[in-house]
Amino acid sequence: MGNKYYNYKKVNDWGDGEYLSGNADFDFQRLIHSEAGKHIIRARGFMTRYSDVDDPELLKYWNDMGVRCEIRTTKGEKWLAFVPLEAYENKDMNLPVVAIFRPVDLLAIAFYEYMIDLAAQGEFIALIYSSEDLDTNDVFYDMIQETLRDFPADPGRVYVTGHSHYGEFAMEFMRRHHESIAAVAQQGDTAGILLDFYGSSQAGVELMHEIDMPLINVAGTTEMVGIFPINTEAPGVPADSPLRRRFPMDREARIASWKRRLYAMRCPIPSDEEIIAAANGNKVERVLGFPVDRSDIIYAEGCECYIGDIKNIDGNYHFRTVAMENIPHTTCRFMHVLSWSFLRRFARELKTGKVIELY
């Protein structure tokens, strides 16, 4: 049951909720009456309260929070840097950098408001940029280097993240610049790896198999393409949905995409039968649709979060998948909490390329 006392229409009208892009199992009313809904709609309010990212009132809002929004241009591409105010005075901070793939507009603010909040708390410097072109996105590397040059930032703790196909852009960027990336957080993206999908290729899978790249993938159980469980036909996707032409819907193809992900992450690959048998496993395995080496369930902001860790061939837990109950195709505050909780555990030794486990 949703909390009957929550009503956020005074903040911003939810409308019919169609823009959230949930599948047929998505409970819209439950979301809007949850703590997660409270934060989603509050963040969406940035799109109605301000005119653009350079609105003076919005810039003042950030500054009052404790973070400065610098609007920069590199090679003709506009990007945002959210820098804790303390970093302008304390040159010994050695802050991590989180590069967020999302086009520079108010929707980016709505999607990543809590990441900016974390930057205001002094957790890291947050950068926002993306184009719709894989090659153009290489300029993000120059933006990161500019950030490392101009602020007290740690080059060994650079992370990338993105939601939906921007998560795929983050992955392709990582593949091109993996020597300088400490870890990746995909949000609202497919559980498996799809080939020929925003830069994904078999060559990229082979490259990932040769490197050690910590990665967390967080998505909702009611995503529009029915991401979880992986060992069934995609749940909740209407028979006439155009998404069926682009995403694997049958069990065989979905399992194949998952085994491709495991190979890329340098993890042991179970048989099809073992993956299917996860339907009889613990609750986390039943929800995710594949076996895991360790699992946990966190209840937060009105939903259960099903966490599955898989050990790689080196014996390290560098791969985590999380399914968030009743979350459609959007980000939410706790998705960012889960992402940062994972990312901050890792650094990269740039001289040797070795992953350092900090926590």
Side-chain angles (χ1 to χ4, degrees):
M1 293 292 292
N3 187 328
K4 63 183 179 181
Y5 300 107
Y6 281 164
N7 187 334
Y8 304 118
K9 288 183 178 293
K10 293 180 181 178
V11 181
N12 188 25
D13 197 333
W14 281 96
D16 61 8
E18 184 178 356
Y19 70 89
L20 291 168
S21 300
N23 66 16
D25 299 324
F26 172 49
D27 188 337
F28 176 51
Q29 289 299 316
R30 179 182 175 187
L31 177 68
I32 67 175
H33 294 297
S34 70
E35 187 74 6
K38 170 183 177 179
H39 295 291
I40 289 172
I41 204 62
R42 176 183 175 276
R44 292 292 170 119
F46 282 87
M47 300 173 67
T48 59
R49 292 196 296 272
Y50 303 103
S51 60
D52 205 343
V53 294
D54 60 357
D55 187 320
E57 289 299 314
L58 179 56
L59 296 178
K60 180 179 182 301
Y61 173 85
W62 299 132
N63 199 75
D64 290 345
M65 278 182 60
V67 65
R68 182 176 300 170
C69 175
E70 295 206 3
I71 303 173
R72 296 192 170 199
T73 301
T74 299
K75 294 183 178 179
E77 296 292 315
K78 184 167 73 173
W79 55 290
L80 305 179
F82 291 90
V83 185
L85 294 183
E86 186 182 352
Y88 292 91
E89 303 295 333
N90 182 359
K91 301 304 180 183
D92 298 321
M93 288 192 74
N94 206 33
L95 291 163
V97 175
V98 178
I100 301 167
F101 281 76
R102 190 83 199 185
V104 176
D105 56 18
L106 288 174
L107 183 58
I109 303 302
F111 264 59
Y112 288 98
E113 185 266 345
Y114 189 65
M115 295 294 275
I116 300 170
D117 195 336
L118 287 171
Q121 296 175 45
E123 287 293 308
F124 49 73
I125 297 171
L127 312 180
I128 295 179
Y129 167 77
S130 185
S131 74
E132 295 295 331
D133 177 74
L134 293 169
D135 294 330
T136 303
N137 281 344
D138 273 342
V139 74
F140 215 160
Y141 180 82
D142 299 295
M143 298 167 182
I144 293 169
Q145 296 308 306
E146 189 174 322
T147 301
L148 295 172
R149 180 197 70 203
D150 293 350
F151 301 104
D154 185 348
R157 290 188 294 162
V158 175
Y159 312 100
V160 295
T161 189
H163 175 265
S164 190
H165 76 278
Y166 298 108
E168 294 292 334
F169 285 164
M171 287 291 289
E172 175 60 14
F173 182 86
M174 175 276 293
R175 287 188 286 263
R176 297 184 183 199
H177 304 282
H178 59 87
E179 300 93 343
S180 61
I181 304 300
V184 181
Q186 287 180 274
Q187 301 174 355
D189 210 343
T190 59
I193 291 180
L194 311 185
L195 297 181
D196 302 318
F197 186 66
Y198 293 102
S200 293
S201 66
Q202 187 59 43
V205 170
E206 296 295 341
L207 182 149
M208 289 182 64
H209 183 72
E210 297 301 320
I211 64 176
D212 186 3
M213 181 60 64
L215 184 146
I216 181 173
N217 192 357
V218 189
T221 62
T222 52
E223 285 269 356
M224 58 186 177
V225 296
I227 294 175
F228 303 109
I230 200 76
N231 59 359
T232 67
E233 180 173 334
V237 183
D240 60 350
S241 171
L243 295 170
R244 287 183 170 273
R245 294 193 293 269
R246 189 168 194 186
F247 294 88
M249 293 287 133
D250 65 277
R251 184 170 69 178
E252 181 179 2
R254 286 156 64 84
I255 288 176
S257 75
W258 176 243
K259 294 170 78 170
R260 191 178 299 120
R261 169 78 78 173
L262 291 174
Y263 177 79
M265 293 306 301
R266 308 175 70 248
C267 295
I269 301 174
S271 66
D272 290 9
E273 292 74 20
E274 290 171 312
I275 295 173
I276 293 169
N280 301 314
N282 62 40
K283 189 172 184 180
V284 170
E285 293 179 327
R286 296 197 304 271
V287 172
L288 296 178
F290 50 78
V292 299
D293 293 311
R294 65 184 186 190
S295 61
D296 197 6
I297 299 175
I298 296 174
Y299 181 80
E301 301 185 357
C303 72
E304 289 189 339
C305 303
Y306 306 98
I307 302 171
D309 289 328
I310 298 177
K311 187 185 298 185
N312 66 19
I313 58 178
D314 301 315
N316 298 318
Y317 286 101
H318 289 180
F319 180 35
R320 169 171 291 180
T321 300
V322 185
M324 299 186 69
E325 182 188 22
N326 199 49
I327 297 298
H329 196 57
T330 186
T331 64
C332 60
R333 185 176 75 162
F334 205 69
M335 186 176 287
H336 301 318
V337 171
L338 290 164
S339 296
W340 179 234
S341 295
F342 180 85
L343 294 175
R344 68 191 296 274
R345 291 166 43 198
F346 304 101
R348 189 167 296 279
E349 170 53 61
L350 298 182
K351 290 183 179 180
T352 64
K354 181 180 179 181
V355 171
I356 303 169
E357 296 193 13
L358 301 173
Y359 308 104

